[in-house]
Amino acid sequence: MRPDYLHGLFDRPHMRKTVLYVLIFLLTLWHGHFFLTGYRLSADDVYFTYIALQGPKTVLETARWIAEGQGRVGFLYLQPINMFAALMSEMLIWRLVFVTLYFSTVWLIFVYAGKVLKLSIAPFSFLIFLALHPLGFEHLPPTTYPLQNTLPFLVLVSCRLVALSYGERGGWRVLNRLLQFGAMLATEFALLLGIVMVAAEVFANHPLSLRRPLPWLRALVKDTRVWIEIVTLGLVVGVYIAYRLAHPSGYEGNSLAGIGNLGALISTTWHHINDGLVLPRFSSRFLKVPLSVWTGTALSGLAMYAAIILTLRIPFGKKVSFAAVAAFLLISMIFVTLPVSASLKQQGWCQGTGHCAYLDSRTSILGVVLLLAVAGAAALRHSPHRRFGELRRPLVACVTAVIFALGGLHHWHVAQDMLRYDRVWKSAQLLACMPNLVPETPAQLYDLIDPGHVVPFHEDEAPLRFWPLYLETVRRQSDCSGTQVLQRSLAGSYLPNLWPEELQNIGGDEGSRYLGSGWSEIEDWGVWSHAEKAELIIIPKGLEPGDQARLQLDAQMFLGPDRSAQRLIITQMAKHFGKARAAQKANPLIRSSASCLTILHRRPSP
């Protein structure tokens, strides 16, 4: 039971709304903070950063080259925005801006949908969105392409929401249409969303009657707003097609060459929609989290439960035809996904590697959420069973809260994986202020900064060009003289330092910094080589100029039925320093059973 003063407090509509919006804000903070950990997760984002580091002239030239190569006129101004976002994403304040813009855009889309449907479903829809929205490594904003979809979507939905609320008159109509034109021309994803929004408004103003189609068509023809929409969309599509004809696309990702592969098309379309949700990502490993994370997810689940209960106490508004809305949303989800899933590139990714979620998945999830929200509103409005009617609100709230809490566990695990990328970038930034530790060759620098080759690149040679330029830029723009002693000491935690008489196990995260190329996946006990030549990177510490040192390497040879003996040759800069041999009949271990390194320090003779 609640105290009387609480009962009176929560029975006030304005107080319920205040508490609801506070809960929505807190739940967004909890959900959104996971998305601050990931940045530059795709090879495209790293490439955009590389171009941005070379200055405005290279940015504009590359944007033009990409636009002409892919037949996308909007990329002339969208790609510089992508490059700016990729460059600035390493700064937490900018990531906060990107994530805020992203979730603000989603909120406005649900407000817009509520306006069109004449239903108060924005809070309910947004809460469902938070529960179903996944953090992933695929090409999913805002952790990749932070502004590519967010900015055009934000401009588009803002313009249409303002026009829907206040109308279009005079100079504002011209400005509004110009902004929508630029937003839809920027990327096909915004164009497809714009077409869906126009169709939604047309059907909302002129409900389709299958029994009397001719009167419905006559009403459309007489509506001036419909002609304005047709002209706007016609101009966007016309300019897009004209540019595409002038510059045919050589990019497989925006080609419809796979439209005839019916089985792959249907499968890819389904997985693009389904994998854009958090539900297929659940697994038992997500239960293995620290107690603090369990506490946070439990509290967030309780907050979600309370928010849903408060939301469902707010009247949704007039009754709508669920069948008509559901049919429109299902067609819209397929419409925004089909052009992407019709490309052979996307079909190959999805069918071959299982990586199906893509940029369009961030659009289709909006349709899934609205479908569930409208279905929930319809189910909650009328229930033939009285007992079920009493339980329906707690049941909806409980299911949503459980999904949201489990999603929090999933997001924590993904965020921990994303932190591996963050450590590489922070390591490079610290190394830039210590040029005396920078190796002589780009290949050695690459192995020093990113021994696990975590950061993705399009080409094998790309990191050899990227990292020297990145370090040079950071060194030039940073005040290295002000780097704190603590930060310099932290740099030693990722450098492959090796101290005399100190045994270093090559296993787990700590050992990965000593590994160059030629190694397999590192394990807790150590690592196997998977190439004829495998490189170790070490920085001997505690040695004075003229000192001599002997490196002791303890290793285990892999011997089996088809390999009775192995030979180990140790070289430095093509100079042989030692060799060892292990045979099946003898002990296959060299010095010990663990993979480790030791420097044996000896002062030179006087």
Side-chain angles (χ1 to χ4, degrees), residues 4 20 44 71 81 84 94 144 181-182 191 209 241 303 359 375 383 457 487 503 533 535-536 540 556 571 582 600:
D4 290 340
L20 171 62
D44 282 347
I81 295 174
F84 167 81
W94 277 106
T144 57
F181 177 85
L191 174 58
S209 174
I241 293 176
L359 283 157
S383 175
F457 290 90
Q487 286 183 307
L503 182 70
K533 178 182 178 181
E535 296 179 343
L536 287 170
Q556 176 178 341
T571 63
L600 302 179

Side-chain angles (χ1 to χ4, degrees), residues 229-530:
E229 301 292 2
I230 292 174
V231 170
T232 303
L233 290 176
L235 286 173
V236 175
V237 175
V239 172
Y240 178 87
I241 293 176
Y243 191 86
R244 187 74 174 262
L245 292 174
H247 303 282
S249 174
Y251 176 58
E252 201 176 32
N254 65 344
S255 166
L256 301 179
I259 194 74
N261 302 333
L262 188 59
L265 180 67
I266 295 174
S267 175
T268 304
T269 301
W270 161 251
H271 284 294
H272 271 237
I273 297 173
N274 187 55
D275 289 5
L277 309 175
V278 76
L279 297 176
R281 301 164 187 264
F282 287 162
S283 71
S284 59
R285 83 178 184 98
F286 298 146
L287 303 178
K288 301 175 183 178
V289 298
L291 179 60
S292 58
V293 178
W294 266 113
T295 303
T297 54
L299 292 175
S300 70
L302 291 174
M304 175 62 77
Y305 180 88
I308 292 291
I309 290 295
L310 289 173
T311 301
L312 298 181
R313 295 190 65 182
I314 299 175
F316 285 109
K318 72 166 195 172
K319 181 181 179 180
V320 298
S321 171
F322 172 71
V325 174
F328 179 83
L329 289 173
L330 288 172
I331 294 172
S332 299
M333 284 187 277
I334 296 173
F335 177 73
V336 300
T337 305
L338 196 62
V340 182
S341 56
S343 73
L344 291 174
K345 182 177 182 179
Q346 290 296 328
Q347 290 177 8
W349 275 359
C350 190
Q351 301 292 311
T353 66
H355 297 156
C356 297
Y358 195 64
L359 283 157
D360 59 300
S361 302
R362 291 303 202 206
T363 310
S364 62
I365 188 178
L366 303 174
V368 174
V369 168
L370 286 173
L371 183 61
L372 292 174
V374 175
L380 292 168
R381 192 186 304 273
H382 299 291
S383 175
H385 303 288
R386 182 175 180 182
R387 181 174 298 179
F388 174 74
E390 296 174 353
L391 295 176
R392 53 193 173 183
R393 286 186 175 88
L395 180 62
V396 171
C398 185
V399 171
T400 309
V402 169
I403 294 174
F404 184 70
L406 292 176
L409 300 179
H410 161 266
H411 300 148
W412 183 85
H413 279 280
V414 177
Q416 299 311 300
D417 292 338
M418 289 181 175
L419 286 175
R420 295 184 298 122
Y421 293 72
D422 180 63
R423 283 193 287 268
V424 172
W425 294 108
K426 283 185 167 52
S427 298
Q429 292 164 19
L430 288 175
L431 186 61
C433 286
M434 292 172 282
N436 58 312
L437 296 179
V438 176
E440 296 180 359
T441 67
Q444 292 173 329
L445 176 63
Y446 180 30
D447 289 334
L448 176 61
I449 293 176
D450 189 9
H453 295 184
V454 172
V455 175
F457 290 90
H458 284 303
E459 304 170 355
D460 292 339
E461 300 299 318
L464 307 184
R465 299 188 299 269
F466 177 84
W467 288 117
L469 176 61
Y470 182 80
L471 262 63
E472 178 187 348
T473 305
V474 172
R475 190 180 301 120
R476 185 174 64 249
Q477 296 179 352
S478 301
D479 182 13
C480 289
S481 61
T483 303
Q484 299 179 2
V485 176
L486 177 59
Q487 286 183 307
R488 291 179 180 270
S489 66
L490 287 176
S493 66
Y494 76 89
L495 294 174
N497 297 326
L498 197 61
W499 295 86
E501 309 294 343
E502 184 177 296
L503 182 70
Q504 175 60 54
N505 291 317
I506 308 299
D509 293 336
E510 289 297 315
S512 62
R513 61 190 180 207
Y514 299 91
L515 303 180
S517 60
W519 299 98
S520 181
E521 292 291 329
I522 194 165
E523 303 177 49
D524 291 337
W525 63 268
V527 62
W528 292 107
S529 63
H530 65 65

Side-chain angles (χ1 to χ4, degrees), residues 13 21 55 92 111 160 180 224 355 388 460 488 511 560 564 566:
Y21 286 121
L92 179 60
V111 172
R160 300 206 67 88
Q180 290 187 57
T224 306
H355 297 156
F388 174 74
D460 292 339
R488 291 179 180 270
S564 60
Q566 285 252 40

